[in-house]
Amino acid sequence: MMQFPYPRKTSQPQAYTSARASTLHRRRSLRNLLPYLLSGLALFVFIIYLFRPSSPTPPDRNPPPGTSKVVIVTPIDPSLSPSHANDIKENRRDYAQRHGYETFFPSTEDYDLMPNVPSTWATVPALRHALTLHPHTQWLFYLTPTALIMNTREPLSDKVLTPSKLESLMIVDKPVVPPDSVIKTFSHLKGERVDFVLAQDHDGLAGGSLLIRNTDWAKFFLDAWFDPLYRSYNFQKAEGHALEHIVQWHGTVLAKLALVPQRVLNSYTRDTGSSGEGIYQEGDFVANFHGCARDAARNCEEEMKPLMSRWRELRDGQRG
Amino acid sequence: MSLSRSPSPRREGGWSSPGLTTPYDDSNGRSRSPRKAYGGLESPGGGGGGGVTWASAKANSARVNGYPSYQSQNKGFFSRHMRKLSESLPYFAHGGQEDRFAEKEKLGRGRRGGLGGSWKDVPARIALLLSRRRKYLALVVLAFLAVLLWFSKPITYWYRRSSMFGGGSKFVIILGANQGGGVMEWKGAREWAIERDSVKNKKKYAAEWGYELEIVDMSTKKRYAHEWRESWEKVDVIRNSMRKYPDAEWFWWLDLNTFVMEPSYSLQKHIFNDLGATTYRDINVYNPLNVHHPPNGTSGDPDSPEYQNYLDPLTSSPVGDNLPESINLIVPQDCGGFNLGSFFVRRSAWSDRLLDVWWDPVFYEQRHMEWEHKEQDALEYIYTNQPWIRPHTAFIPQRSINAFPQGACGDDKGLPKGGCASLKATDDPQECGIQGVHYQESERDFLVNMAGCEWGRDCWGEMYNFRQLSNRLNRSLWEKFKDGISEWWEGKEEGKNKKKSG
């Protein structure tokens, strides 16, 4: 019964109910139900509002169209011979061009390092600089100047960066610094949560080839890594040891780290350990002439020549 | 009441429907609508003679007015539903019989009342309001109000705590008790008294606004495998509190030697509702440490390429993105730099990172001899040298959360005449604004921090004085009145004594 102060019925009963009357009736009852429906809806919206995720998604997460997904960063020492420096750049540019990536080749003298600090420290501000120049890129790929990209077929996303691929490659529960560091990589880590990918060689983290996701975490990580007190501490392997130090002492760094097998990112041309696991074989992604710059008895340019010409052959073969 | 059809006015006025003209229309003989039954009271003039019933009076007035006062239109929700609502309330057991007596009595009274002005029928109106059925409702309302009053404290507490309304449970006060105690020194009676007073003060404040209070034992213990970390526990304590109160957002660190002077200020109203205005981001505004912003080179060589050249615009901006939402750390600056006697940290991924890098063995090894103030010096260092900290750090004028007593930071420069509100842009700000450090009674500063009192000052004496001052400033009106009288009396007595002696 509808709520009126008195019943609205005449004493004469209706002879019949027309179709029109019944739709009218239905419409009326609908109109009566409307407030309840509306209030129900309002309650529903309110509940959704209450339980909404507290952090709204940042609006500028979507990069503008046309920005590359990866920036390849290689700082070039100005003391290198120009032709060699050009070869190294050409090697990166070729890979970048194939997959639509950007490249960035700063000089190691661009940045204000402290006196008596190895120039390899320039790696860290160079990466930070790349983030500034390419604010919408998704990943940074740092490759040391002593390494060459030998296999250009696969893009980085297929090779490592897809979360499922990364999860399948990740080495979990492994001492960060072999053989016996008490700090081990996380055993339960989601691929999407990883912001930092690198390999391990026989005596620690192999910092010659790194992948860093462009996030706030990256800024924190790079700034902390570049702290003046680490630079002045005279770590034996400079930025490499500083990296091992922060990974082991700071959980917020370790929580973003994924180790992958060495030959995925960073094969060495010379075996420096006993196992010989990370030795470069034809078809590997990267050939790293690890230690050639540090060791006065070695000459990087000479050492790299054979593989450089091999890379050219491969490139021209693919083009032809 | 059941009408077989809608009432319609007759041509000569009045109503064709008999049901509406008599209050005793029900089959029970019970008055359905007492308000109508007492209608005569509302218009005492219209009643006329003694034996006139409401019905006939109504009919008369209707005829005079020419149109019925009763409207058959639906006037609105309440006019449509009130009857239904009131009908659903239970009746009293003794039905209409007594109603009738009551009505007659009241009619008589109404006539007497009708002689005077309108205020005279106020009691009658109240009686009308409290007619039997409404009495029941009034009783319910009264009972409800009584319950509210009785439980007003727990209810306000719950209201202020709830994250939906007051949001008090979003704040955790961390009070570091027993600082430097334990193996380092013994506590004497004064130390215990200070601790008792300070804890009581914070407990009261937290209870007032529904905040969480976490009192932590900071006594030096062999807590770490690497023992050098001792007396750097602030960081660990904040982290533990974040774990313990997973729903809280802001964590307020307080040293033991602090005293909340104005417990009536809530943190929300005092600071957080308008975080953009109560804090400042640009360290160049007030920079006792001379931190260079934007960050410059670390080599000290003026010809070296700028340190700045690789940083993104957000990091090198003096104010970050300048949005209050991006503030994760709020630190006051005293005359010598950051002061961590009272500061805020917000739960966020950013603060996790900050709390993580705050202590580092390599930093410690190189600097622990210089870093006298431990965490405080370390924070100043990482703020200066790690640019990612800056866009998420805000500073707050010292006096708003961490005022110092006179002499803790040079001399109290005092206030301009007429208080800080009268300050002009050209005037010397003295203790006003961002550079103000010392507690100002007339500005009613929120919290006082007796920083450094353990070195050559009297902590207990200072705490005692500030407690007394706070009590005096926050007296109730009644207490002020009483004190006023006793002071006046004392003044008079003194005057007399002076006269006698003089």
Side-chain angles (χ1 to χ4, degrees), chain A residues 5 128 227 229-230 250 252, chain B residues 83 312 356 360 366 381 386:
Chain A
R128 190 81 154 85
D227 192 283
L229 282 181
Y230 293 141
H250 299 298
T252 47
Chain B
R83 202 164 57 89
D312 55 304
D356 192 14
D360 182 280
Q366 294 178 74
Y381 171 81
Q386 299 190 11

Side-chain angles (χ1 to χ4, degrees), chain B residues 75-383:
Chain B
K75 276 184 265 178
F77 177 83
F78 274 107
S79 63
R80 257 182 292 149
H81 293 274
M82 187 49 97
R83 202 164 57 89
K84 173 118 195 296
L85 293 176
S86 65
E87 228 173 337
S88 62
L89 290 170
Y91 291 110
F92 285 101
H94 42 260
Q97 193 65 23
E98 204 167 295
D99 252 348
R100 227 168 355 214
F101 293 132
E103 187 205 352
K104 271 181 187 161
E105 270 172 47
K106 277 170 189 162
L107 257 176
R109 232 184 14 209
R111 236 175 337 181
R112 258 177 279 136
L115 298 168
S118 62
W119 61 272
K120 277 200 176 159
D121 54 71
V122 167
R125 278 168 190 273
I126 290 172
L128 175 76
L129 280 173
L130 293 182
S131 70
R132 194 150 284 129
R133 246 173 277 156
R134 283 167 189 234
K135 238 178 223 160
Y136 191 80
L137 188 73
L139 213 70
V140 170
V141 169
L142 215 72
F144 181 69
L145 286 178
V147 167
L148 268 188
L149 197 72
W150 185 258
F151 292 105
S152 67
K153 265 208 157 163
I155 287 173
T156 29
Y157 182 72
W158 171 84
Y159 176 85
R160 284 173 173 178
R161 257 189 83 72
S162 65
S163 54
M164 251 178 73
F165 304 107
S169 57
K170 293 252 172 259
F171 296 87
V172 177
I173 302 172
I174 306 172
L175 179 66
N178 227 344
Q179 248 159 344
V183 290
M184 304 297 264
E185 56 187 76
W186 289 107
K187 268 205 244 185
R190 279 170 171 255
E191 282 75 31
W192 281 111
I194 289 168
E195 186 163 321
R196 192 193 57 216
D197 267 19
S198 174
V199 168
K200 201 173 150 192
N201 172 251
K202 308 305 178 303
K203 273 188 178 162
K204 202 177 141 201
Y205 181 68
E208 169 94 25
W209 291 103
Y211 304 140
E212 308 278 3
L213 176 64
E214 176 76 359
I215 301 167
V216 289
D217 180 13
M218 301 288 286
S219 56
T220 313
K221 280 179 198 145
K222 227 176 150 180
R223 209 175 287 177
Y224 305 98
H226 40 94
E227 261 175 70
W228 353 297
R229 197 169 173 170
E230 66 192 23
S231 73
W232 275 64
E233 291 97 343
K234 263 182 203 178
V235 175
D236 296 296
V237 161
I238 294 171
R239 266 203 224 153
N240 288 340
S241 307
M242 285 188 174
R243 221 165 294 145
K244 187 168 169 186
Y245 301 99
D247 297 326
E249 188 183 0
W250 282 99
F251 295 80
W252 183 20
W253 173 272
L254 276 180
D255 276 354
L256 188 65
N257 290 330
T258 54
F259 201 85
V260 178
M261 296 296 285
E262 301 291 338
S264 60
Y265 295 9
S266 74
L267 290 178
Q268 292 94 319
K269 204 167 172 216
H270 188 50
I271 300 166
F272 289 96
N273 288 351
D274 194 7
L275 201 53
T278 49
T279 58
Y280 60 101
R281 305 286 278 271
D282 185 359
I283 191 159
N284 294 318
V285 170
Y286 178 57
N287 196 353
L289 289 169
N290 283 320
V291 176
H292 199 284
H293 194 101
N296 65 344
T298 40
S299 62
D301 172 12
D303 298 328
S304 64
E306 248 188 310
Y307 185 49
Q308 237 253 291
N309 65 351
Y310 64 85
L311 290 176
D312 55 304
L314 189 75
T315 311
S316 39
S317 150
V319 292
D321 59 6
N322 213 11
L323 296 173
E325 299 85 59
S326 68
I327 297 176
N328 286 309
L329 175 73
I330 304 175
V331 181
Q333 293 195 89
D334 61 23
C335 52
F338 297 4
N339 189 287
L340 294 189
S342 162
F343 68 99
F344 292 93
V345 188
R346 176 192 228 147
R347 176 198 304 283
S348 63
W350 183 92
S351 342
D352 282 349
R353 291 167 201 152
L354 175 72
L355 295 171
D356 192 14
V357 293
W358 205 325
W359 189 86
D360 182 280
V362 168
F363 297 178
Y364 188 89
E365 193 181 330
Q366 294 178 74
R367 288 293 174 89
H368 70 279
M369 296 303 277
E370 292 165 46
W371 287 350
E372 217 177 286
H373 298 288
K374 329 259 178 209
E375 297 96 336
Q376 193 172 300
D377 292 324
L379 182 66
E380 287 171 356
Y381 171 81
I382 55 177
Y383 180 87

Side-chain angles (χ1 to χ4, degrees), chain A residues 73-100:
Chain A
V73 182
T74 300
I76 304 285
D77 193 326
S79 63
L80 289 182
S81 75
S83 66
H84 182 53
N86 266 335
D87 285 348
I88 292 170
K89 288 181 189 172
E90 193 45 49
N91 175 267
R92 273 82 171 148
R93 277 198 196 113
D94 173 58
Y95 182 62
Q97 207 185 349
R98 274 168 202 272
H99 302 291

Side-chain angles (χ1 to χ4, degrees), chain B residues 449-461:
Chain B
N449 178 4
M450 278 124 314
C453 67
E454 59 270 41
W455 292 296
R457 284 169 26 214
D458 177 11
C459 284
W460 164 237

Side-chain angles (χ1 to χ4, degrees), chain A residues 3-11 32 36 46 50 109-115 124-133 135 195 215-235 245-246 249-254 256, chain B residues 1-7 70 72-74 79-81 83-84 164 226 228-229 296-301 304-307 309-315 349 352-354 356-367 371 381-382 385-389 392:
Chain A
Q3 296 310 316
F4 291 107
Y6 39 83
R8 292 218 153 159
K9 242 183 181 178
T10 55
S11 46
N32 270 10
Y36 299 101
F46 182 64
L50 276 188
E109 285 177 358
D110 282 354
Y111 308 107
D112 179 19
L113 308 175
M114 287 187 289
V124 189
L127 284 167
R128 190 81 154 85
H129 198 177
L131 282 183
T132 304
L133 296 176
D195 285 351
T215 53
D216 275 351
W217 178 86
K219 291 180 185 173
F220 146 70
F221 166 64
L222 293 170
D223 285 350
W225 189 6
F226 196 55
D227 192 283
L229 282 181
Y230 293 141
R231 276 178 277 158
S232 64
Y233 191 62
N234 288 326
F235 283 114
H245 169 84
I246 49 176
W249 279 94
H250 299 298
T252 47
V253 176
L254 185 64
K256 297 290 185 183
Chain B
M1 153 161 49
S2 55
L3 287 175
S4 58
R5 58 202 184 87
S6 58
Y70 183 87
S72 57
Q73 268 85 28
N74 296 331
S79 63
R80 257 182 292 149
H81 293 274
R83 202 164 57 89
K84 173 118 195 296
M164 251 178 73
H226 40 94
W228 353 297
R229 197 169 173 170
N296 65 344
T298 40
S299 62
D301 172 12
S304 64
E306 248 188 310
Y307 185 49
N309 65 351
Y310 64 85
L311 290 176
D312 55 304
L314 189 75
T315 311
D352 282 349
R353 291 167 201 152
L354 175 72
D356 192 14
V357 293
W358 205 325
W359 189 86
D360 182 280
V362 168
F363 297 178
Y364 188 89
E365 193 181 330
Q366 294 178 74
R367 288 293 174 89
W371 287 350
Y381 171 81
I382 55 177
N385 290 291
Q386 299 190 11
W388 68 279
I389 309 268
H392 295 273

